[in-house]
Amino acid sequence: MTVNTAADENAALELRENIDRAEERIRLACERAGRRREEVKLVAASKLNGSERIRLAHRLGLNVFGENRVQELCEKREQGAYEGCELHLIGHLQRNKARFVAGQVALIESADSLELLRELEKLCAKNGSTQDVLLEVNLLGEESKTGLAPAALPRLLEAAGDFSRVHIRGLMGIPPKSENTLENRRYFARMHQLFIDISEKKYDNVQMAELSMGMSADFEDAIAEGATLVRLGTALFGARDYGTLGCI
Ligand SMILES: *Cc1c(COP(=O)(O)O)cnc(C)c1O
């Protein structure tokens, strides 16, 4: 993209400022938590941002992007939006759409059933690839949300030993919408404890390496409680305009 109008230039400037500000907040949150900056990876949640804007964000220093809808991911991937970047799927994946991402994204953060893992294993065997996944946990059993109940995890973690291509690399979670930061913080602490408990059980083919939690409104608390991946949309790209694209 050539930046050639004042509006483009302003948009680029604003994005650069947002990135710098988010980066600084992550740095400070790590410092306060006594963690190294390298322990936390920034995933830019780029839904509803077009390919040009993603390319621009990449030029301004972002190199990990997360999409939450498979179709949108495919369209923008086709346009070369993520070239030179690491791409994650962070939204719910239906089994019948698994073929569009299996072995083609660095991380599926939102795997939530044994059936899905089996499908991914089959697809990866077919196309000669492997797939890292996180298990999405629905910690509080919220009806409105996808994700695995904690009680469903052991069965799935035990089954992981049967897979040779799909590798479980950690957990992902989204706290309930809440204005109460203390509640979120408690949620993050419980996720971290679950993460530790699972890693101590030493399941075959299960590595608790990544804990994905924290979004624009609460990522500092998530970092304080051990997040290794934070997924930021609004803090980087500004408020999303769901109207113009007519999706979600
Ligand atoms: C959109 C999205 C985010 C980012 O949300 P913000 O509040 O805008 O930072 C994070 N995770 C998932 C799964 C998302 O869909």
Side-chain angles (χ1 to χ4, degrees), residues 107 132-134 167-171 195 207-211:
L107 187 63
D132 284 350
V133 306
L134 306 184
H167 306 298
I168 297 178
R169 303 262 308 149
L171 305 179
F195 179 81
Q207 198 188 4
M208 286 292 117
E210 304 291 353
L211 180 56

Side-chain angles (χ1 to χ4, degrees), residues 122-134:
K122 209 164 69 185
L123 290 163
C124 286
K126 219 190 276 177
N127 69 17
S129 61
T130 59
Q131 183 64 63
D132 284 350
V133 306
L134 306 184

Side-chain angles (χ1 to χ4, degrees), residues 45 47 68 90-91 172 174 215-217 231-235 240:
K47 60 173 168 274
N68 70 326
I90 60 177
M172 185 267 240
I174 304 174
M215 317 202 310
S216 294
R231 308 176 310 271
L232 304 191
T234 314
R240 284 180 288 276

Side-chain angles (χ1 to χ4, degrees), residues 43-47 66-69 89-92 109-110 136 172-174 177 212 214-219 230-240 242 248:
V43 180
S46 46
K47 60 173 168 274
E67 290 291 346
N68 70 326
R69 292 171 72 250
L89 180 70
I90 60 177
H92 180 65
E109 296 200 16
S110 39
E136 182 177 349
M172 185 267 240
I174 304 174
K177 276 206 173 42
S212 178
M215 317 202 310
S216 294
D218 54 19
F219 66 94
V230 290
R231 308 176 310 271
L232 304 191
T234 314
L236 299 170
F237 298 109
R240 284 180 288 276
Y242 289 102
I248 308 190

